[in-house]
Amino acid sequence: MVAFTDVEGIQIMCLKVLPYLLEDESQRTTAQWAGLTDGVLRAMVLFPDSIEVHTVAFHTLVLLARPLGGNEGMLFHRAMVNTRGIFNVGSSSSKNGIVIMLDSMRRFAQDEVLQAMSCWSLVNVALTPLQKTMLVKLGGLTVTANAMLQHPYNAEVQFRALFALINLVIPSEARPEETEEMRQIERELFQELGEVGETSEKEMLDASVGQIANLVVVAMKNFCSSEAILNRACLVLHNLSLNEDYHSVLLWTPNCYQMLEWCIGNYPHDHVLQQSAGGTIQRLNETLSSDDDLRDRFNHSIRAQQQHSLDVAWRDALYLEERQQELAQRQMNQS
């Protein structure tokens, strides 16, 4: 990859092989010490219009971002949040690795394979607190939501995006174990981001929570037979419900409360789902019980949604009956 940085075919072949090698943790450790993350990001920058390069690069980042523990993990961490080594020697440019990833997701929003792979990479990247903060501040919530919006019937995209959102929707807490040096690095990074760096994670989530809640419920309805997708969806809603400010959003998201109840009733042996969905409903019920006006409006909303569902079912039944009558009439005419 280093010797032929300008040859797209060689970059693709190398990136296709790397995920299999990086399954081995010792190889992954060696790769991080050797600065492989920089090479992967460099390929994405040098071939900005190649969907294939970016897709296989994301697959490699999935493996590189897997936690190693200890100081080894910081090697990937530093490359991602401030990658000054991704360009050829002599270049005055520098680019944040997470910016490169999110930019790729935005530009190739219509490619479902790339979106699924990139969302998968976000799952592991977000495991490191600073990387997760950078993801949110730079628009990670928006691009993940857009992947779900653009590909509502692709199970892989929905599953990976929901998996990524599980961590992204929880604002990072203060980390007392951080050294002063690490805090200084964070301050410098956020200063480089300008206005974006001054925006808090919670402010970013506040702006997206309504859309995220709705997309999660849509995924639950579209893939109601997929236990894996419902499991992750319930975890996202659970994490949103940990913030009381978002209870009203969840309550007014169409079919959210009903889908949580449906999941509990239909997947009794999934203990994670039972715990997350049950905990969410319990918190929402506590909020409803403390506000009579909110409870009355919510009950009215539920009845309205049920009536709407009945109206849709009735119209569908009428349409089906008309189609059957037309088909019967056509068959009679032909005979």
Side-chain angles (χ1 to χ4, degrees), residues 104-140:
S104 175
M105 292 180 71
R106 291 186 184 98
R107 289 188 298 107
F108 302 122
Q110 300 301 319
D111 190 279
E112 57 188 19
V113 177
L114 182 142
Q115 291 299 309
M117 196 63 73
S118 58
C119 286
W120 189 10
S121 71
L122 297 188
V123 173
N124 288 344
V125 170
L127 294 176
T128 301
L130 179 55
Q131 289 173 181
K132 183 248 179 179
T133 300
M134 295 287 286
L135 273 173
V136 175
K137 285 176 175 283
L138 290 167

Side-chain angles (χ1 to χ4, degrees), residues 37-55:
T37 304
D38 290 347
V40 174
L41 294 170
R42 182 186 296 117
M44 296 175 74
V45 171
L46 293 178
F47 299 97
D49 300 319
S50 173
I51 293 179
E52 189 173 6
V53 166
H54 283 238
T55 301

